[in-house]
Amino acid sequence: MGMTAAVILLFVLALVAANLPWLTERRFLLFAPPADGKREWLRLLEWLLLFGVAGLLAAGLEYQVIGEIYAQDWEFWVVNLCLFAVFALPGFIYHHDLRRYLRKRR
């Protein structure tokens, strides 16, 4: 796999992973949804867990393409966390605003 394909794959996977907590009611994507709905703290916990999974996938892709994993300082991780938050914005807006608006229109 080339560098360009790895970067595109990583962006697509990160975009999907960042939005999953707001697009599904299942807990941790495996367990049945609770009767009263999923709480926001659980969505944030899932989001942080998926951030870690995306980071591990990125490290695996980096090792596969380049052959080694470069050490990163805290600034790198803060920028990645902010980028992951921007990626999560469509799912967040859909869950909190757009879904109710679309239900009203029916």
Side-chain angles (χ1 to χ4, degrees):
M1 176 182 303
M3 179 70 80
T4 305
V7 169
I8 291 171
L9 177 66
L10 180 61
F11 274 130
V12 169
L13 288 175
L15 184 65
V16 170
N19 285 292
L20 279 177
W22 284 275
L23 296 179
T24 181
E25 291 296 319
R26 297 182 72 83
R27 291 177 289 176
F28 297 103
L29 305 174
L30 300 173
F31 304 110
D36 59 345
K38 199 162 50 168
R39 303 275 186 224
E40 283 304 309
W41 66 267
L42 186 58
R43 291 185 195 278
L44 289 173
L45 183 66
E46 287 177 351
W47 182 78
L48 284 172
L49 180 71
L50 287 170
F51 173 70
V53 169
L56 290 174
L57 286 172
L61 282 173
E62 181 181 11
Y63 185 76
Q64 181 183 8
V65 171
I66 299 174
E68 64 180 298
I69 299 174
Y70 293 103
Q72 304 294 340
D73 290 330
W74 67 270
E75 296 94 346
F76 174 82
W77 295 107
V78 170
V79 168
N80 277 328
L81 187 64
C82 292
L83 185 62
F84 204 69
V86 170
F87 281 175
L89 195 59
F92 184 84
I93 290 173
Y94 173 78
H95 177 74
H96 288 288
D97 292 331
L98 189 61
R99 186 174 58 169
R100 287 186 211 134
Y101 176 74
L102 291 174
R103 284 182 184 165
K104 283 183 185 178
R105 291 191 71 192
R106 287 188 200 170

